[in-house]
């Protein structure tokens, strides 16, 4: 077992364990923190696949921005074990059914993948490097990329305008 | 000649001759970890005494002068005191998160050491997105602060953590944009490429006015990101006792303190790398003799000199400006710094395309 495999196994175990803890933790703050741990271990997997840019963007966007926003809201609302509302049994059933169907679709999709002929490019693939990603974004996907960047810019301008109103 | 890269290369050669590759990597990781911890402790001691001496100098007093020559061992004595103090955990606190938060702060600060080039060819991990890595990991700092603030079960702590969160998240934008302007000029996110591109002159000189604007925005934004005065609302003593670390004592408090100082060092190192050429010596055009003399100064001295100069500038801020109010702080970012840095990024892009820089 070389060092890449050891790291892969550690990362996988951490990712699965923390993903499980996200849904089993009673306290919402703990859930968010476990989710951050999950994102970090997934970023570790990206780095093993030599997709360093994806790994870092995963950390910036999810762990850095979105999860901080989640933490903010949960801490401000002070959600605790005691204040958690009792959910209706029908709602729980609906949740189980929809989650189960998603699992079914995922399993059905993954069953058809050809695992034998696909090899993970460890430490050598360069698809995830920023240069190739940038070329792809600005040649094949120019229009969607520009539209989404205009959307982000308008969101930023909107925040400034709302702030200036007072 | 004696150099950091020479030492690291000879250690690597000796290890790879003696052990098999896996064991070599593990041993090298351990050595790097120990070196980072050592640097950490050293930086903490040096920066605390430096801050106290700088503040004393600005306020025309002597500063610490009892322990050691001119009080130079004061921070060592303080560390000893903090080590033997009792680390209290409040009864109402969330035990796990309360005790975990200082360590997360430390780990984040340690991770940030990875892409910094301390000397010529002396870097832990020269990854191809080094600059982006730094801004990603430094945004993790806010999680430890939020954890500490929430777990303390104290309204001052929670208020401090919330303020610090709002502050770090918003100032990250203009810090990121000013970093991007140098990335646009260089065309690479790799730290070693950025330093190489400044071999014939640092970006702050080559990049005309836009680079200077980017430098000023960067310094303001990182001062806010590291929660230092005049942006230290997260621990505004007069309103929040001590902000997010109100309930911390002993070594756990010291870890937060240490993490703050190491973060200051790291952002200054990044600033020195991006704008002041990292370990590149100072060269003036065609003055061959002058340039030759400058080349004789070791690269590590150049790097630490520039970094400590920027640290001095940030300390200078602290002892010069009064603290901002929270609304003034957010106004400064969203109404002034962010628009300025966005326009500035456009200017830099135009400059890079038209090749107006040297």
């Amino acid at each position: 077992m070389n060092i890449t495999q050891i790291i892969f196994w550690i990362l996988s175990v951490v990712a699965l364990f923390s993903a499980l803890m996200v849904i089993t933790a009673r306290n919402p703050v703990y859930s968010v923190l476990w989710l951050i741990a999950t994102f970090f271990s997934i970023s570790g997997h990206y780095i093993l696949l030599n997709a360093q840019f994806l790994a870092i963007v995963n950390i910036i966007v999810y762990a850095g921005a979105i999860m901080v926003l989640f933490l903010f809201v949960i801490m401000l609302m002070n959600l605790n074990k005691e204040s958690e509302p009792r959910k209706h049994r029908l709602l729980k059933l609906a949740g189980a059914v929809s989650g189960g169907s998603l699992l079914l679709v995922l399993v059905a999709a993954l069953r058809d993948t050809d695992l034998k002929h696909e090899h993970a490019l460890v430490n050598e693939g360069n698809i995830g490097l920023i240069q190739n990603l940038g070329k792809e974004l600005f040649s094949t996907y120019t229009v969607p990329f520009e539209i989404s960047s205009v959307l982000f810019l308008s969101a930023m301008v909107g925040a400034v305008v709302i702030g200036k109103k007072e | 000649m004696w150099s950091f890269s020479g030492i690291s290369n000879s250690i690597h050669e000796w290890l790879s001759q003696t052990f098999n590759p896996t064991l070599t990597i593990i041993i090298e990781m351990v050595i790097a970890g120990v070196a980072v911890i050592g640097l950490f402790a050293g930086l903490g001691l040096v920066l605390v005494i430096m801050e106290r001496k700088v503040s004393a100098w600005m306020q025309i007093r002597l500063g610490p002068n009892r322990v050691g020559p001119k009080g130079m061992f004061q921070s060592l004595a303080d560390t000893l005191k903090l080590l033997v103090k009792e680390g209290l955990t409040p009864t109402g606190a969330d035990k796990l998160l309360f005790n975990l938060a200082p360590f997360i702060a430390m780990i984040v600060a340690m991770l940030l050491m990875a892409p910094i080039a301390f000397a010529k060819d002396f870097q832990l991990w020269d990854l191809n997105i080094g600059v982006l890595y730094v801004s990603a990991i430094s945004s993790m700092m806010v999680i430890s602060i939020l954890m500490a603030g929430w777990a303390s079960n104290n309204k001052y702590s929670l208020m401090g953590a919330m303020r610090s969160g709002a502050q770090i998240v918003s100032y990250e934008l203009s810090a990121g944009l000013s970093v991007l302007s140098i990335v646009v000029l260089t065309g690479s996110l790799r730290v070693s490429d950025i330093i190489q591109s400044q071999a014939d002159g640092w970006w702050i000189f080559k990049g005309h006015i836009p680079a200077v604007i980017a430098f000023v925005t960067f310094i303001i934004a990182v001062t806010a990101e590291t929660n230092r005065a005049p942006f230290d609302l997260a621990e505004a003593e007069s309103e929040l006792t001590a902000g997010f670390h109100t309930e911390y004592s002993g070594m756990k408090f010291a870890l937060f303190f240490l993490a703050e100082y190491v973060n200051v060092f790291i952002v200054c190192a990044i600033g020195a790398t991006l704008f002041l050429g990292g370990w590149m010596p100072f060269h003036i055009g065609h003055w061959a003799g002058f340039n030759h003399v400058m080349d004789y100064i070791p690269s590590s001295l150049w790097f630490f000199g520039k970094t400590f100069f920027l640290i001095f500038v940030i300390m200078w801020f602290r002892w010069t400006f009064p603290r901002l109010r929270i609304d003034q702080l957010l106004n400064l970012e969203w109404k002034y710094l962010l628009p300025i840095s966005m326009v500035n990024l456009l200017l830099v892009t135009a400059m890079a395309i038209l090749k107006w820089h040297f």
Side-chain angles (χ1 to χ4, degrees):
Chain A
M1 212 150 75
N2 61 11
I3 196 124
T4 315
Q5 279 169 321
I6 298 172
I7 295 173
F8 171 80
W9 282 108
I10 293 174
L11 282 174
S12 308
V13 169
V14 169
L16 287 176
F17 176 72
S18 38
L20 271 177
M21 288 307 287
V22 173
I23 46 174
T24 49
R26 302 293 295 171
N27 195 326
V29 173
Y30 276 83
S31 288
V32 174
L33 293 173
W34 279 115
L35 197 54
I36 292 171
T38 316
F39 285 136
F40 259 87
S41 39
I42 290 172
S43 282
H45 277 125
Y46 280 136
I47 290 176
L48 280 188
L49 295 171
N50 212 19
Q52 297 160 357
F53 180 68
L54 284 183
I56 291 304
V57 165
N58 189 37
I59 289 178
I60 289 183
V61 174
Y62 289 104
I66 296 180
M67 284 303 118
V68 168
L69 202 70
F70 269 39
L71 264 186
F72 235 76
V73 172
I74 289 171
M75 285 178 182
L76 271 181
M77 282 163 55
N78 208 10
L79 292 174
N80 282 326
K81 265 180 280 191
E82 300 84 39
S83 62
E84 201 180 17
R86 303 281 301 161
K87 291 191 183 66
H88 199 264
R89 193 166 289 161
L90 216 61
L91 211 63
K92 283 183 182 168
L93 189 70
V97 167
S98 54
S101 352
L102 180 66
L103 182 72
L104 208 68
V105 172
L106 283 179
V107 167
L110 289 177
R111 217 174 63 94
D112 292 338
T113 48
D114 191 7
L115 284 176
K116 291 222 173 65
H117 302 289
E118 296 280 346
H119 289 290
L121 296 167
V122 177
N123 285 332
E124 53 190 31
N126 49 10
I127 308 160
L129 297 188
I130 188 160
Q131 215 161 7
N132 305 313
L133 213 67
K135 274 184 188 140
E136 194 68 7
L137 276 179
F138 279 102
S139 54
T140 323
Y141 303 104
T142 314
V143 177
F145 180 73
E146 289 299 325
I147 289 175
S148 57
S149 49
V150 167
L151 188 72
F152 283 127
L153 186 69
S154 61
M156 220 177 334
V157 172
V160 174
V161 168
I162 291 172
K164 268 196 167 166
K165 229 173 215 172
E166 289 170 38
Chain B
M1 206 177 96
W2 186 96
S3 72
F4 277 116
S5 58
I7 294 173
S8 65
N9 283 340
S10 54
I11 289 176
H12 177 75
E13 265 168 36
W14 181 76
L15 280 176
S16 46
Q17 277 167 8
T18 324
F19 303 105
N20 63 334
T22 312
L23 208 61
T24 306
I25 291 178
I26 291 174
I27 292 175
E28 280 176 356
M29 280 177 182
V30 170
I31 291 176
V34 171
V36 166
I37 293 172
L39 182 66
F40 229 76
L43 276 178
L45 295 178
V46 169
L47 290 179
V48 170
I49 191 73
M50 180 178 166
E51 170 110 86
R52 296 182 66 172
K53 281 291 181 189
V54 167
S55 77
W57 180 60
M58 300 227 168
Q59 295 162 352
I60 325 179
R61 53 188 176 84
L62 286 175
N65 59 359
R66 292 300 147 119
V67 189
K70 299 214 176 242
M72 281 305 156
F73 299 140
Q74 183 65 47
S75 44
L76 210 62
D78 287 346
T79 315
L80 202 67
K81 182 197 76 177
L82 284 166
L83 267 173
V84 296
K85 259 185 145 181
E86 184 185 4
L88 280 172
T89 307
T91 339
D94 188 317
K95 298 268 177 319
L96 178 64
L97 293 189
F98 184 84
N99 292 314
L100 191 63
F103 292 98
I104 301 270
M106 280 274 289
I107 289 168
V108 167
M110 277 189 186
L111 282 175
L112 285 172
M113 291 276 181
I116 292 175
F118 293 99
K120 195 176 181 185
D121 302 324
F122 187 69
Q123 204 173 353
L124 280 181
W125 188 24
D126 190 17
L127 75 173
N128 60 10
I129 40 159
V131 182
L132 207 61
Y133 171 89
V134 171
S135 52
I137 300 296
S138 64
S139 68
M140 290 294 103
M141 196 66 202
V142 63
I143 288 174
S144 74
I145 291 178
L146 283 176
M147 259 164 85
W150 181 81
S152 297
N153 196 17
N154 176 326
K155 60 186 170 207
Y156 291 131
S157 303
L158 190 62
M159 288 283 284
M162 290 294 154
R163 283 182 178 188
S164 139
Q167 181 180 331
I168 292 180
V169 168
S170 45
Y171 275 85
E172 226 162 59
L173 291 172
S174 44
L177 284 174
S178 45
V179 167
L180 269 189
S181 57
I182 296 303
V183 171
V184 167
L185 286 172
T186 315
S188 172
L189 289 161
R190 193 189 285 269
V191 171
S192 56
D193 287 351
I194 291 175
I195 294 174
Q196 268 319 320
S197 73
Q198 304 180 68
D200 53 341
W202 307 345
W203 278 122
I204 196 163
F205 301 129
K206 282 202 295 181
H208 305 297
I209 308 279
V212 176
I213 296 175
F215 180 65
V216 173
T217 0
F218 179 81
I219 290 293
I220 296 175
V222 297
T223 312
E225 259 195 84
T226 47
N227 282 326
R228 284 182 61 84
F231 306 106
D232 63 341
L233 287 153
E235 44 197 281
E237 294 92 347
S238 48
E239 321 159 25
L240 295 178
T241 44
F244 66 90
H245 54 57
T246 306
E247 297 286 358
Y248 283 88
S249 58
M251 208 51 210
K252 281 179 268 178
F253 166 74
L255 285 184
F256 269 123
F257 209 58
L258 198 61
E260 182 191 318
Y261 278 103
V262 173
N263 272 326
V264 171
F265 172 80
I266 286 161
V267 293
C268 289
I270 294 297
T273 305
L274 289 173
F275 297 96
L276 304 180
W279 48 259
M280 277 290 170
F282 181 64
H283 283 175
I284 299 179
H286 301 291
W287 295 15
F290 179 78
N291 294 349
H292 208 64
V293 171
M294 286 292 147
D295 284 339
Y296 268 106
I297 300 175
S299 56
S300 49
L301 269 189
W302 275 110
F303 171 78
F304 281 104
K306 290 167 189 174
T307 309
F308 273 89
F309 169 70
L310 287 184
I311 292 173
F312 172 72
V313 169
I314 285 186
M315 286 178 177
W316 192 355
F317 280 176
R318 174 162 181 180
W319 302 105
T320 309
F321 296 116
R323 183 182 294 133
L324 273 74
R325 273 202 327 262
I326 183 78
D327 58 324
Q328 290 171 334
L329 175 106
L330 292 177
N331 275 352
L332 175 70
E333 164 63 16
W334 290 100
K335 292 187 187 168
Y336 301 101
L337 281 187
L338 186 63
I340 288 173
S341 44
M342 277 163 83
V343 171
N344 191 46
L345 183 61
L346 280 181
L347 275 178
V348 169
T349 315
M351 204 169 78
I353 292 170
L354 297 171
K355 301 246 182 277
W356 279 350
H357 59 86
F358 297 118

